[in-house]
Amino acid sequence: TEIGEPLFIRDKDGVSLTKAGQTMFQHASKILDIADELKLEIEENKDVLSGRVILGVTTRGLNNPFPLLYKEFKKDYPDIEIILQSEYKLDDVVEKVRNGEIDIGMVSHDLDLSGLVAIPYGESEIPFIVGREHPLAEKDIVKIDDLQNQDWVMFDVNNRLRTTIENYLAKAGIVPKNIYETNDGAVIRSMVAHDDKISLLPTWGIFEELQDGKIIALKVEGLKCKIQINIIWKASRRTKLVSAVLNYLLREEMEGIELLKAKNEIENL
């Protein structure tokens, strides 16, 4: 190599770095960090806010209220582009915020967010839902006993939302028996709307079907489940550009999400 020393060792166990390779890797990492810092400094010195901010979420085939918000955002900030990056797992969003691949993340509150700034963004109700032709759709108030022998459709057991919902059902004394599992929220929405199945999904993920009347949110006696959503970012990467997006997100509601922070709190962030 141009360095004059071998950087890799290849043997039966695979490939590993030599001492020279480890040294070069450390310096290369520093160079990349310096490049990032330079990019941020240049951005901070711009007279007009422009550029792009990456917002990380997980939607898993549910409705996404972000496009409605983005349309209004562009009226105030025409030179800022928000790239919506959908990850398969919430943990992936957290990890990519940590390593700088994502600028702002929206995640549930029951995650390890160490090393990041995290503030409550909003709450979304997770109602029991059925299609408009389902027998329970006609009831003004549904009793817990009415839910016991239904056919259910839910996310698979590896999904964090499924865990949240199962814990909630267990506390209410509801034990679903016939469960169709999927990793696709679009399948859940469709099977609820057309196949006489019951489920629970956050209102932000089904707002279109609720508005169209294809899916009905049941009023269940004594039960109301909500999930908290946090906004996260890395303190060292909070530029003027990121701050502009953060402040906008924290004062404008998305469909199906109720903001938790008062405007005076937002101004002090």
Side-chain angles (χ1 to χ4, degrees), residues 77-113:
Y77 298 98
D79 296 317
I80 299 178
E81 185 179 9
I82 302 177
I83 306 298
L84 190 70
Q85 184 165 315
S86 184
E87 299 293 333
Y88 187 70
K89 294 180 179 179
L90 286 170
D91 302 272
D92 294 337
V93 175
V94 174
E95 187 56 34
K96 289 188 178 183
V97 171
R98 279 202 182 101
N99 65 29
E101 291 180 59
I102 289 175
D103 298 304
I104 303 170
M106 300 184 75
V107 299
S108 58
H109 67 290
D110 56 343
L111 293 167
D112 174 16
L113 303 177

Side-chain angles (χ1 to χ4, degrees), residues 174-186:
I174 301 171
V175 183
K177 295 177 182 177
N178 302 317
I179 304 175
Y180 181 91
E181 295 184 346
T182 176
N183 65 357
D184 188 346

